[in-house]
Amino acid sequence: MPYQNITVSTEDGIAVVTLNRPDVLNALNQATMDELVSALEEFEREGSVRCIVLTGAGRAFAAGADIKEMAGASAPEMLAGYRFQQWERIRKVTTPLIAAVNGFALGGGCELAMLCDMIVAAETAQFGQPEINLGIMPGAGGTQRLTRAIGKSRAMEMVLTGRPISARQAEACGLVSRVVPAETVLDEAKRLAKEIAAKGAVAVRLAKEAVLKAFDTHLEGGLDYERKCFYLLFATEDRSEGIAAFLEKRRPAFKGR
Ligand code: HXC
């Protein structure tokens, strides 16, 4: 499918989706979000991609929602629009998503990175929720996911001042899983994606679901959910193969069933 605002490539069971509006620091207009959602859903439908890396062309991951596009919108128009359905559809993607954050991840860009399952950051990356400087506030999960990731006080400071944090600060407070030299960020993310893609697909899917459950349930409910997923995996061929391979001292050959 030809895209105007993103590029898509696949290799060895992984996909790389690149936000590709570098002139405007990959500002997330509706057309870009539409293309992103359809690319991700197409991978889900097609089934051969086991892990997806999302990155940005140029000096940004994404500098937020497209401010020019939002400029004239009224509150009823924002409410009636389907903007947030797109975010919900990305949230429902079952394939693991890795954000390779190469530069600015601001506003909706930071929220998009946090919507991914893992963040690998370039040393030069910056994360921030600057919406307050526009007289608005985060609207795609910034107050919720950021607070869960880095705690109330730090999130409050970022959201109320709009000041960004560096990649190193983001690493120190647990927002990103690793920081790497800028020129290697995509390769590192791809390496991580390939490592995940080689695991048993059913186990990866259920494990992702179970980790995400920790965000929207209490401990007992989450443990219960985890246990059900765990039992379910004992019905897979991959479980038999994984354990047999360990006992036979060889690498497992997972089939995703
Ligand atoms: C539209 C944007 C943009 C954005 C940058 N550009 N961010 N256009 N929407 N979010 C455009 C600029 O207008 C400029 O275009 C070009 O990209 C380069 O940006 P500069 O500002 O010239 O670059 P620089 O001086 O290096 O500053 C980089 C920056 C700054 C610090 C990232 O661009 C910035 O503050 N951007 C806005 C960040 C922001 O407020 N994000 C939150 C948006 S609200 P021209 O044509 O002038 O060359 C949001 C709400 C989400 O995200 C709600 C959920 C959907």
Side-chain angles (χ1 to χ4, degrees), residues 21-30 33 59-60 62-70 78 83-84 86-87 104-111 126 128-134 136-141 164:
R21 300 176 76 218
D23 293 349
V24 288
L25 305 183
N26 303 321
L28 301 167
N29 61 359
Q30 293 283 282
M33 291 301 291
R59 51 192 189 98
D66 190 318
I67 298 172
K68 285 176 199 143
E69 193 177 67
M70 277 192 317
M78 290 298 277
R83 185 180 304 269
F84 295 106
Q86 297 170 319
W87 292 76
F104 296 112
L106 302 177
C110 187
E111 291 169 312
Q126 281 186 38
Q129 298 291 163
E131 291 91 338
I132 202 84
N133 298 326
L134 301 170
I136 55 174
M137 61 175 276

Side-chain angles (χ1 to χ4, degrees), residues 50-79:
R50 297 284 174 77
C51 194
I52 299 165
V53 175
L54 178 59
T55 192
R59 51 192 189 98
F61 176 74
D66 190 318
I67 298 172
K68 285 176 199 143
E69 193 177 67
M70 277 192 317
S74 66
E77 279 162 8
M78 290 298 277
L79 182 67

Side-chain angles (χ1 to χ4, degrees), residues 204-225:
V204 166
R205 178 177 172 160
L206 294 186
K208 166 172 167 162
E209 270 181 35
V211 173
L212 289 176
K213 220 19 140 194
F215 286 97
D216 56 27
T217 191
H218 52 86
L219 183 60
E220 195 178 340
L223 290 171
D224 197 38
Y225 187 82

Side-chain angles (χ1 to χ4, degrees), residues 3-222:
Y3 295 114
Q4 312 297 320
N5 303 287
I6 63 171
T7 62
V8 168
S9 65
T10 54
E11 64 183 73
D12 304 335
I14 70 162
V16 177
V17 179
T18 305
L19 303 168
N20 194 27
R21 300 176 76 218
D23 293 349
V24 288
L25 305 183
N26 303 321
L28 301 167
N29 61 359
Q30 293 283 282
T32 303
M33 291 301 291
D34 278 340
E35 291 184 9
L36 178 58
V37 170
S38 43
L40 297 179
E41 291 183 346
E42 180 55 31
F43 291 135
E44 294 268 281
R45 258 193 305 276
E46 195 270 329
S48 66
V49 166
R50 297 284 174 77
C51 194
I52 299 165
V53 175
L54 178 59
T55 192
R59 51 192 189 98
F61 176 74
D66 190 318
I67 298 172
K68 285 176 199 143
E69 193 177 67
M70 277 192 317
S74 66
E77 279 162 8
M78 290 298 277
L79 182 67
Y82 64 104
R83 185 180 304 269
F84 295 106
Q85 291 165 24
Q86 297 170 319
W87 292 76
E88 277 307 297
R89 283 164 69 180
I90 298 173
R91 188 168 76 86
K92 296 213 165 88
V93 168
T94 61
T95 310
L97 298 171
I98 301 173
V101 176
N102 45 302
F104 296 112
L106 302 177
C110 187
E111 291 169 312
L112 183 59
M114 293 191 291
L115 189 54
C116 294
D117 301 306
M118 289 150 276
I119 303 176
V120 177
E123 275 163 352
T124 48
Q126 281 186 38
F127 297 83
Q129 298 291 163
E131 291 91 338
I132 202 84
N133 298 326
L134 301 170
I136 55 174
M137 61 175 276
T143 64
Q144 303 304 300
R145 290 197 181 92
L146 187 64
T147 306
R148 282 166 166 80
I150 69 175
K152 173 182 147 190
S153 188
R154 279 185 290 228
M156 201 65 97
E157 193 173 320
M158 285 177 69
V159 169
L160 299 190
T161 68
R163 275 202 309 271
I165 59 171
S166 67
R168 288 288 171 207
Q169 286 172 303
E171 184 184 37
C173 60
L175 182 61
V176 313
S177 59
R178 65 174 99 167
V179 177
V180 299
E183 60 279 10
T184 66
V185 67
L186 185 56
D187 285 342
E188 284 291 334
K190 282 163 72 174
R191 203 178 341 251
L192 179 60
K194 283 178 191 172
E195 189 179 337
I196 293 166
K199 309 291 180 195
V202 186
V204 166
R205 178 177 172 160
L206 294 186
K208 166 172 167 162
E209 270 181 35
V211 173
L212 289 176
K213 220 19 140 194
F215 286 97
D216 56 27
T217 191
H218 52 86
L219 183 60
E220 195 178 340

